[in-house]
Amino acid sequence: MLRTAERWLVAPYGPVSWVHNARAAGQVSVGRRGDRRDYAIREVAAAEAGPVLKRYVGVATATRPYFQVDKDAPVEEFIAEADRHPVFELLPISEDRPELKQMGVATSSRSSAPMLRPMAWLDSTLAMPARIDQREP
């Protein structure tokens, strides 16, 4: 059974400049092949980031050298490494999302969010910065 699809943004190289900009803005704009989408972000704690990082390292082979754990390591080792690789949940921004307005996220069509180039986000079907679907067993 499919739970709500969750999208994740992973910082494989650590807290680099786009991470600081995203934290300050509270939102990002992700673009690829002319398609641009705005998302509010929620940085997740290590316990929630660990399983995402494990899945990320499994699909993003190019960034494996930046992790100190093996792709087959138990999730606990990814949780321990989570402080070195920020993970954000991506929350789509639209006019009909009152909970985002309560968080102070702008929902207009013009975004002041940092624009992330394709290398800064992950589409799990490609091995680049993250859509990772969480499925119930």
Side-chain angles (χ1 to χ4, degrees):
M1 178 173 177
L2 177 65
R3 259 194 313 180
T4 338
E6 295 172 321
R7 298 188 76 141
W8 303 97
L9 181 63
V10 174
Y13 310 114
V16 294
S17 59
W18 73 258
V19 173
H20 297 292
N21 292 338
R23 285 174 174 158
Q27 60 187 40
V28 295
S29 184
V30 178
R32 182 161 188 255
R33 296 183 184 152
D35 183 26
R36 178 179 170 152
R37 297 183 186 197
D38 294 332
Y39 296 92
I41 57 170
R42 178 181 70 88
E43 190 165 1
V44 299
E48 191 174 357
V52 175
L53 290 173
K54 181 172 175 62
R55 178 78 188 274
Y56 176 84
V57 169
V59 298
T61 58
T63 59
R64 283 185 193 156
Y66 296 92
F67 289 81
Q68 294 179 2
V69 297
D70 182 72
K71 68 178 180 65
D72 298 319
V75 74
E76 292 77 19
E77 291 184 34
F78 286 92
I79 291 170
E81 185 154 341
D83 65 327
R84 291 185 293 280
H85 305 283
V87 174
F88 302 91
E89 181 181 10
L90 296 175
L91 308 164
I93 295 176
S94 67
E95 295 293 333
D96 61 343
R97 298 284 308 265
E99 71 276 13
L100 295 180
K101 290 181 182 176
Q102 291 175 352
M103 293 169 50
V105 174
T107 57
S108 69
S109 58
R110 292 194 166 243
S111 174
S112 60
M115 177 66 180
L116 302 180
R117 298 179 189 269
M119 289 301 292
W121 64 285
L122 168 77
D123 178 342
S124 66
T125 61
L126 304 170
M128 300 184 31
R131 178 180 177 143
I132 298 177
D133 294 328
Q134 300 293 322
R135 298 178 186 271
E136 290 183 0

